[in-house]
Amino acid sequence: MISPVMPTYARVDLSFERGDGAYLYATDGRRFLDFASGIAVTCLGHNHPHLIAALTEQAKKVWHVSNLWRIPEGERLAERLVANTFADTMFFTNSGAEANECAIKLVRKYHDETGNPGRFRIITAEAAFHGRTMTTIAATGGYKYTKGFEPIPEGFDHVAFSNTNEMRAAIRDDTAAILVEPVQGEGGIRPATAEYLQALRAICDEYGLLLVFDEVQSGVGRTGKLFAHEWAGITPDVMTIAKGIGGGFPMGACLATEKAAVGLTAGTHGSTFGGNPLAMAVGNAVLDVLLSDGFLTRVERIGGVLRNRLSDVAAKYPKVLAEVRGAGLMLGLRCEVPSGDFGTKLRENGLITVGAGENVVRLLPPLIIGEGEIDEAVAIVEKTCRDWTH
């Protein structure tokens, strides 16, 4: 008999009754150090007092009004993101997949509006992840996500990640844009080099394409900059965000330059819940913390501490861990042993992580993580390696 909740997830038989900072407390009494953060979502940890206060205050005022009316907290959040990014405007969504849907529509509408309606194809990278809607699994590509859902929507070409020769060779007369993640998350924590991102900017400028960065996982402070592409010193035309910007509340956004957004005029796109007052209040509260003096600098520093400590462990147990990779607090342990089994052992020892491609265990701790919690996490990783070799 099918379960009341549709069985689309391979859930672990574990549930949590509360969280506090970097810790989750299970209903069976166990405490876990949370280095998954709900897949890079709870960027300020659990039960953050500033987020609770913002959400509670807004909940006492008004929850939902629809986008038929002005939403002052949304306008304030948009103005703050505009002030701190390349973007001139944005569309609020409920998730990263919706943000990418918006970006795909924006790309096609841009070319239609500027006299090139035949340009609609988007080049994406292999091992990427852009969402689970029909169009975003087409953008993602790969048998794992598309099997059984054919026919897959047309309009996407896939090339090897970090390969500019393949990228150039894939450009056709009907190519409209390039869409990549500055750091591939689901693909195995694979950071793009600054040179690769700079080359993509140059290619887009040369061929009249829009450059779209999917920063759903790598953005909102995760790498030590507000957005990961900032490390490369270039800007996209369009960027999608979600996960961390809501700190655990469902929200996302598609940010764009005024030029790129020329086609998205009144009536061309919409959302009933996107930009909801509750989400906007939380988004502003997240930014309050992220934009405070020294916060992102600390993320970069503490990310370096964690990476160095993990690299020491990997060097000590080369038959278990092959490599530590990533950026800031978006790190991956590439395993020599099966990563799924290694992640299970980490959890049994008290550390929650999340899997990824290329036999990698993802470490995505909250950005507020302290050195004491890093000591604890590294000790668990080392114990797990030690147990594995004995």
Side-chain angles (χ1 to χ4, degrees):
M1 180 181 294
I2 194 168
S3 62
V5 177
M6 196 173 289
T8 60
Y9 301 103
R11 299 178 192 270
V12 175
D13 185 17
L14 182 64
S15 58
F16 303 101
E17 61 181 9
R18 69 185 179 91
D20 184 18
Y23 292 94
L24 278 170
Y25 296 83
T27 52
D28 61 10
R30 287 182 290 168
R31 187 184 79 157
F32 294 87
L33 186 54
D34 184 8
F35 269 40
S37 298
I39 317 180
V41 168
T42 51
C43 65
L44 301 182
H46 300 283
N47 219 8
H48 193 284
H50 189 58
L51 303 194
I52 292 172
L55 184 59
T56 302
E57 182 181 351
Q58 185 60 47
K60 291 176 181 175
K61 296 177 180 175
V62 61
W63 290 23
H64 179 79
V65 294
S66 88
N67 286 298
L68 295 173
W69 319 104
R70 293 181 64 175
I71 299 175
E73 276 295 284
E75 292 175 11
R76 188 165 82 89
L77 179 57
E79 288 167 0
R80 298 175 76 190
L81 286 169
V82 163
N84 286 280
T85 68
F86 70 95
D88 301 310
T89 187
M90 68 202 60
F91 181 91
F92 289 116
T93 68
N94 305 291
S95 69
E98 287 179 63
N100 281 325
E101 285 276 353
C102 178
I104 292 163
K105 290 179 70 176
L106 181 151
V107 163
R108 293 189 177 188
K109 200 71 166 61
Y110 165 80
H111 286 289
D112 183 79
E113 197 75 19
T114 56
N116 297 292
R119 301 183 76 166
F120 69 100
R121 302 191 71 82
I122 298 176
I123 305 173
T124 65
E126 294 169 357
F129 183 79
H130 300 297
R132 293 276 193 168
T133 66
M134 283 301 295
T135 311
T136 55
I137 62 170
T140 296
Y143 187 72
K144 173 182 175 183
Y145 299 109
T146 59
K147 179 181 179 297
F149 295 113
E150 299 86 354
I152 302 302
E154 173 69 359
F156 297 92
D157 300 299
H158 306 94
V159 299
F161 185 59
S162 294
N163 188 320
T164 53
N165 290 332
E166 283 198 20
M167 184 64 75
R168 282 184 174 276
I171 295 172
R172 313 171 1 169
D173 290 342
D174 54 1
T175 299
I178 292 171
L179 164 62
V180 299
E181 300 158 279
V183 183
Q184 287 194 333
E186 189 78 15
I189 306 293
R190 303 167 74 202
T193 64
E195 292 75 17
Y196 176 64
L197 298 181
Q198 291 160 2
L200 295 185
R201 178 71 272 175
I203 291 170
C204 285
D205 292 342
E206 180 181 346
Y207 289 92
L209 312 178
L210 292 181
L211 180 59
V212 185
F213 285 152
D214 178 339
E215 293 244 25
V216 168
Q217 189 165 156
S218 62
V220 195
R222 179 58 56 185
T223 67
K225 296 279 190 186
L226 191 55
F227 296 102
H229 70 266
E230 295 173 23
W231 292 105
I234 49 97
T235 59
D237 303 294
V238 184
M239 177 175 71
T240 56
I241 67 173
K243 292 187 181 289
I245 190 62
F249 199 95
M251 70 167 292
C254 174
L255 288 69
T257 63
E258 182 174 7
K259 176 185 174 184
V262 64
L264 289 193
T265 54
T268 56
H269 193 50
S271 169
T272 296
F273 291 108
N276 176 291
L278 295 172
M280 298 297 96
V282 176
N284 274 303
V286 168
L287 274 194
D288 289 344
V289 177
L290 260 64
L291 297 178
S292 62
D293 286 346
F295 185 87
L296 293 175
T297 302
R298 182 187 173 281
V299 170
E300 181 188 4
R301 184 187 66 78
I302 206 83
V305 171
L306 176 58
R307 183 174 185 147
N308 289 339
R309 296 284 306 280
L310 290 170
S311 295
D312 290 342
V313 176
K316 197 171 175 182
Y317 297 96
K319 293 184 178 179
V320 181
L321 299 177
E323 177 189 12
V324 180
R325 64 193 191 189
L329 287 172
M330 186 175 181
L331 297 174
L333 301 174
R334 187 166 68 82
C335 299
E336 293 288 357
V337 300
S339 61
D341 294 340
F342 191 74
T344 298
K345 292 294 183 186
L346 289 174
R347 186 176 67 249
E348 289 172 356
N349 288 327
L351 180 67
I352 294 176
T353 59
V354 60
E358 295 196 342
N359 206 35
V360 164
V361 169
R362 268 181 285 185
L363 301 177
L364 305 164
L367 307 184
I368 57 164
I369 199 80
E371 295 202 27
E373 290 148 343
I374 284 179
D375 290 343
E376 185 179 348
V378 171
I380 292 172
V381 172
E382 183 159 14
K383 170 181 167 37
T384 305
C385 290
R386 186 168 58 247
D387 292 348
W388 203 288
T389 55
H390 287 82

